[in-house]
Every structure is written in structure tokens, then in C-alpha cells.
Amino acid sequence: MMLKAALRKAHPMPDPIQRVALATPPKLAHQIRGLSDRTIAWLFVAPTIFLLLAVNIFPLIWTIRLSLTNFRTNRPNNAVEWVGIENYRKILTNPDTWASLQATAHFLVWTITLQVLIGFTLAYLINKKFRSNDLWTTLIVLPMMLSPAVVGNFWTFLYQPQIGLFNYFIAFLTGADPASFSMIGEVALAPWAIIIVDTWMWTPFVMLICLAGLRSIPPSIYEAAECDRASKWRQFWTITLPMALPFLMLAVLFRGIENFKMFDLVVQLTGGGPGATTQLTSIDLKREAFEKWRTGYASAYAVILFVTVFGLASIYVKALNKVKDR
Amino acid sequence: MNAKLLLSTASVAIMAMSAAHAEDLTLCWAAWDPANALIELSKEYEAQSGNTMHFEFVPWTSFADRMLNELNSGGKLCDLMIGDSQWIGGAAENGQYIKLNDFFDANGIKMDDFIPATVTGYAEWPKGTPNYWALPAFGDVVGWTYRKDWFAKPELQAEFKEKYGHDLAPPATFDELKQIAEFFQNREVDGKKVYGASIYTERGSEGITMGVMDVLYSFGFKYDNPEKPYDMEGFVNSESAVKGLEFYKSLYDCCVPPGSSNGYMGEGVDAYKSGQVALQMNFAFTWPGFNTDANVGGDKTGYFANPAGPNGDKFAQLGGQGISVVAASDKQDAALTYIKWFAQPEVQAKWWKLGGYSALRAVVEDPGFATSQPYAQTFLDSMAIVKDFWAEPSYATLMQSSQKWFHGYVVAGNGTAKEALDGLVADWHATFEEEGKY
């Protein structure tokens, strides 16, 4: 009470921290006063750690445990047997797994390459001051605000050989019959069909990150370069690109992780077909887990994918930090 | 006075008890036209029983995913399940449906009263034994519709006869079917470009397997050695099965509308109703919709059962479902009252009138049945020749293998038909090996 009175006297209008101190019941305040800073810090962090353990770590450990068994969710009455690394061996020697990984790699490499190139170019252009600049920015970012399921559905119509605008556009450019090719039905075209849609949808995201990077470059650097009579080309290679590189690399990281687990858009567009041409790892994994119900096998598959993404992302983040520190 | 008071108290108590027993039942099924007919039909049950019916309908392409997830997780969403015929093995062995033999016996429901193929397909597990897990609820089978009005055009009839040496009419063999499809492919009819046939090619769920199997059976495909179960070598990949698969691919290559690489029931309906195709493969449940359609309804559409294969064999892929009580349900007794009500002949007759394909013999063997609708006779003919996909507990894995190999060969054009069927045998063998069948 003495403390409260003193505080009130010293600060007639207490700040928020003092208000919390004043509002704390004396009994609790006494108890807290007896705790060390370290204990209080732990008290604040504990709920988050508990949530992390419950939502992330426990499922991960459970998945690793399941991956060493022959457990199947749809056979609750069957005995669960310990199979060691058998599931891992089966996955790594299964040609279908490697076909899926190949399809995923093709999708990843091309979507990231195209999105970075187009996204950076758009950001570079948008960064210049011109009339209706804001309107163009808004229009460009519209695709990424749509649901992937919706995008998948309407691109299915755009790719329809008889009525699809995309086919008519290509026909207009090449003179071919629009009904003579099917973007999502032909082995040679289907992988490009999903790359085009993902690029259309997510390039604006890369553009926004690059735009943030470009706008973070102080104008004084360009002014100094102008004084030194550096050409625009030289300014781009020695100022713009190096200073925007950490942002570009961040965009690549985000898109890489996102596209490694790509599912909804591709399922809507091709269902993984024709055959297994566009069956990305996430689709393959889903089929194993929730269509074939091979829970143990699917868990091992998930662990392999997790380790792959985690390992690659860790290496990449280290490289990103090095670039940032330069 | 006391006796009167006692009596009135007792009657109030009985009413209160019966009111307390009124249940909210949930029936799970696919989202399609027959489901709407069932909602209409069930109003009668609600009025009679006092129970309230709720419905959970899921589109076909995600029906198995969603509902098998529900069964496998022991969910209590569904009290009654109209599950696909192939689920019966898994649902029976994993205790997901309750066994209905005692209930049937106690209520005078006899399986002999239903079309035998539907009893085997929808209710029995193990197959061929009198162990019943469902009541046949909706008979269905893959058949064909054709544009009767196009077939009737004299100029087309004359041209067709000159080219193929026989009349332009519903085909008697698969070869004739392909001739018709080729004849119409890219042809101008009524000023519009049309195509030969719509067939199943869907990759994600079960589409292409249903289509390919529908053809393969008549070419001589067998799931396994009749003398040695699960022995598939030389049966699944027999020479005649290879020819059947080659035929399906040739039909896909020559005669489907552009962009038909991932189509199932819905896409078939759209292609047919929009006047794109002369022939359409689809389940019988779609036929009432064509019959009343403004563009293709009435005399414009005809129906025919699967034609014969090279050796004269005629088979068709079974569809349809039985109705089961979910073992995880807390309202099994109330759910059983629904099945008891549904099995009544007068309810089954009304079911047919509303658009549901009854499997009760009293309905389909009624002298007026065959002429009651333009497609009724075709339905009967088709139901007489049905075969079904594996109904094993591992059916989902078996189905995914066939989807992969069939789509890979027919649509993607990977390898040969023999390689596809050899690959299928290897995958199915591995699945059955995991199941301990060898």
C-alpha cells in the first residue's frame, strides 16, 4: 500500500507499466516480487513453449515413431508391428517416389526462376514514379489474393481446348487450331500448365518483396553514383541488385517452401495427371496417407520430406545471412 | 378416480418417453440427384417415426476420401451410411458397419427379395456368404446413352451404311461402338461440330478405373484365377485383357471431345447435355436427368447396355450402394428403424418413382416396370450382366494402383497395354502380400 501511495504521489498520471503494477493484487505482487527475473521470463515463455511442444514437436516425434511401424489408420483392429527402417527403404527404392521428386523439382526450379525474373522486373518498373502507379500495383497483386482452389478451377476453363481463352490466345499467336492441344491433358504440356498458373498467381508476391527491397535503398546512394557519373546499367549491377539481393533471396525461400508443399492448385488443375506427370510429392504423400491409408509408410515419407526441406532451408538461411552481413 | 389418474399419468409418461426417443438421425451419401430424391422420400419416414432426418452429402470426387476418413476415425457424424459397394469388405472387417443378419431375420427382411447382383455387390462380406452388412439401397450400373435424333437422320444413316455395311443403330459389339464414335468424331450435325463419345478418364478418385473395367470385362479380363484366389498372373494381364485396354485407349485417342483427359460422371453429363457427343458412357443414375432435359430429353436420347466383346461376352461395371448402420453411432436402434421402413415394398416403389433405382425385385419385376421409363429396360438388361471391382479391405490401395496404370497408359500414353497390366499385377500382388493373402 505504501508503494502504491508513493507511486501515485510521484506520478499522478502513471504510465501503462505502472498502471499494471498498481492494478496487481497485493498478494500476487508479493509473490512475484519473490521470483527471479529468470523465473518470470520462463513464466512468460512457458505457454508458447507448451503450445510448440503440443502442436509441433509432439506430432513430429509421433510421426517418426509411426514411420517405424506398419500402422494403418483404417485397420484399428490389426496389430501394429515394428518394422524398423523398412518404410524408408521402400520409399527410397520406389521409382514412383523419384518420379514425384523429379516432377516437384521441375515445378520448383521453373516457378521460382520465372517468378523471380518477372517479379523483380515488375518491382523495378513499379518502383519508378509514373501516373496510376498505385492502381497498377493493386491490379498486379490481385491474383495472389484469390483462393488456390478458385484459381485452379478457372484456369481449368481457360485451358479447355474448345472454349478456353488460353488456347485461343496461343492459336492467335501461332495459327494452330485451339482444339488441337490440351494444356492439362498432354504429358508434354501439363507440367508447364501448372507452372504458368503458379507463376501467374504468385509473381505479385515476389514483386511486393522486391519492391520493399528496392524502396529500402537510400536515394543518397544513387545521388552519389550520379555525381560519380556511373551509368544506369552500372548503378543497377553495383547498387540496386546487391542491395535488393537479401530480399530476393527471402522471396526465393518463401516460394521454395510453399511450392515444395504445393497441393491444392495442382489437384484442381490436373489431379496429378496425365498419368503421374504432375503428381508432386505432396499429392503422392496425400494419396499414401489418406487414400491408401498406409499411415506408417506415409509417416516415413513425411519425415523424409521434412528432413529434405529443413536441411535445404537451413543451408539457404545461412547463405542468406551471409549476404545480409556483407 | 385413482385408477383414472394413474392411467392418464401413465399415458403422459408414455408420450413423454416416445417424445424423448425421437432422434435426430444423420444419413451420409454422395451429393447427386438421387440424394435429393431420398430427402423427399424420407419425409414420409419422419412423419411416421417422429425422428428427424439430417443429410450429409459429399460430391463424388471427394466422397470416398471424406466418408472413409469418417469411418476410419470412428466419427459419429453419420448414423446411416450409403457407402460405395467396394467399401463393404473394409467396413465389415474393421467393425465400421454393424452386421444386419439378426435384424433382417427379426423383421422379415429377406435378401432373396432383392436383385441377386445387388445383394452380392452391396451387402455381402465375405462375398458369396450370407453375412449381410447393408441393405441394397440404390442399384446402379454403367451403360450408354446415344443421340437417337442424330441416329435417325436419313443422310447420316445412308452414309454410315455405305461406309460400314450395317445400320446406324445402338451397337451390338464394342467394334460397332467404335465405328459409330469414329463416324461422329468432328462431324457437323445441325450446324455444330460434334464428337464421338464421352468416356471416363478421371485420374483422382476412381473414374478411369470404372470406365476401363466396364470395357475390360467383356474382353475377357478376370481379377484372379477362379481356382486360386488372388492369383492374378495371366488373368489381369491376359492377352484378351491387353486387347481390351488397347481398345479403350484407341477409343480415347480417336473419339472423345478435346480436353477429355480428366472426366468422370459430371463431365460426361455436361458433354452429353451440351450436345457435344453422340455416345456417352455413364452410370444409370444420370438417365432420368437426360430424359427430362430440355436439350436432349424425350425422344432425342436412347439407352443401351454394354455391347459384347470380341468373344460375345457382355458384362458391365456395377455401381450403386447399400445402406448400412454405422457402428460408431449412438443411435443404432433408431437408424435400424429407417432401414426397416426403407425396405418396405411400397416405399421402394415410391423410391423408383422419385428417381431412385430400387433394387427390390418386387419393384423391378413388376410387369409395368420395363415400360415405366424409356431407360427402365436398359437398366434391367445392364443389371443382369454386372461385375464389380475388388471389395477387399485394401480396395482403396488397389484402386489407386489401377488409376495410376490406366491413366498412365490411356491418357498419358506411357508404355504399352501389356506393360500397364503387368505393372498393375505387380502392384496388386504387393498389396495382397502386405495383407497376408499369400
Side-chain angles (χ1 to χ4, degrees), chain A residues 195-240:
Chain A
I195 288 167
I196 289 169
V197 180
D198 190 77
T199 303
W200 176 83
M201 187 173 180
W202 289 109
T203 296
F205 174 77
V206 178
M207 183 201 80
L208 282 182
I209 293 184
C210 292
L211 197 60
L214 293 174
R215 289 192 174 161
S216 71
I217 302 172
S220 57
I221 302 179
Y222 288 108
E223 286 160 15
E226 292 281 343
C227 289
D228 291 342
R229 294 187 178 277
S231 68
K232 290 285 177 200
W233 186 246
R234 191 166 169 83
Q235 285 179 31
F236 176 80
W237 282 106
T238 54
I239 301 171
T240 310

Side-chain angles (χ1 to χ4, degrees), chain B residues 76-334:
Chain B
K76 292 181 187 296
L77 170 70
C78 313
D79 303 300
L80 290 152
M81 175 75 77
I82 305 189
D84 228 349
S85 55
Q86 300 102 348
W87 304 358
I88 202 84
E93 290 200 7
N94 298 317
Q96 292 160 346
Y97 290 164
I98 67 167
K99 196 171 179 182
L100 296 173
N101 285 52
D102 292 345
F103 166 74
F104 286 166
D105 291 343
N107 291 280
I109 299 170
K110 295 188 187 74
M111 284 296 103
D112 291 345
D113 293 341
F114 290 83
I115 300 170
T118 65
V119 176
T120 309
Y122 311 156
E124 286 177 3
W125 188 261
K127 296 291 176 199
T129 68
N131 295 287
Y132 306 118
W133 305 87
L135 178 93
F138 187 88
D140 205 355
V141 57
V142 177
W144 296 82
T145 46
Y146 70 99
R147 288 299 298 263
K148 219 172 169 179
D149 52 338
W150 296 357
F151 278 42
K153 288 180 187 292
E155 69 278 15
L156 294 181
Q157 284 187 338
E159 189 185 332
F160 186 86
K161 189 154 191 175
E162 193 186 329
K163 192 170 183 187
Y164 297 105
H166 59 92
D167 289 336
L168 177 57
T173 65
F174 272 110
D175 275 346
E176 287 182 15
L177 184 140
K178 195 179 163 200
Q179 288 170 357
I180 295 168
E182 276 172 342
F183 179 74
F184 278 102
Q185 185 72 3
N186 292 319
R187 179 172 286 273
E188 285 259 328
V189 178
D190 299 334
K192 194 177 156 191
K193 192 177 190 180
V194 304
Y195 303 94
S198 165
I199 58 175
Y200 292 160
T201 55
E202 187 252 6
R203 169 70 176 91
S205 58
E206 57 169 24
I208 196 163
T209 301
M210 293 292 105
V212 169
M213 287 304 181
D214 187 53
V215 171
L216 251 57
Y217 296 141
S218 304
F219 275 77
F221 170 96
K222 285 187 174 55
Y223 283 101
D224 55 4
N225 183 346
E227 308 298 320
K228 196 178 167 193
Y230 308 109
D231 174 22
M232 296 169 288
E233 187 62 44
F235 292 88
V236 168
N237 54 353
S238 63
E239 206 174 303
S240 50
V242 169
K243 285 209 172 88
L245 189 54
E246 283 169 349
F247 172 84
Y248 200 83
K249 179 167 173 54
S250 70
L251 198 57
Y252 173 77
D253 287 341
C254 80
C255 307
V256 300
S260 302
S261 58
N262 197 22
Y264 196 20
M265 299 178 263
E267 288 77 8
V269 169
D270 289 344
Y272 190 75
K273 281 188 176 176
S274 62
Q276 284 189 66
V277 289
L279 302 167
Q280 185 223 183
M281 161 193 272
N282 221 329
F283 282 107
F285 85 88
T286 58
W287 299 348
F290 298 133
N291 193 39
T292 54
D293 187 76
N295 291 329
V296 297
D299 287 343
K300 288 182 180 171
T301 292
Y303 309 86
F304 62 91
N306 252 5
N311 300 322
D313 291 338
K314 271 177 90 164
F315 294 104
Q317 173 60 47
L318 180 70
Q321 303 85 33
I323 182 168
S324 303
V325 175
V326 177
S329 165
D330 295 326
K331 303 164 193 165
Q332 291 179 6
D333 289 342

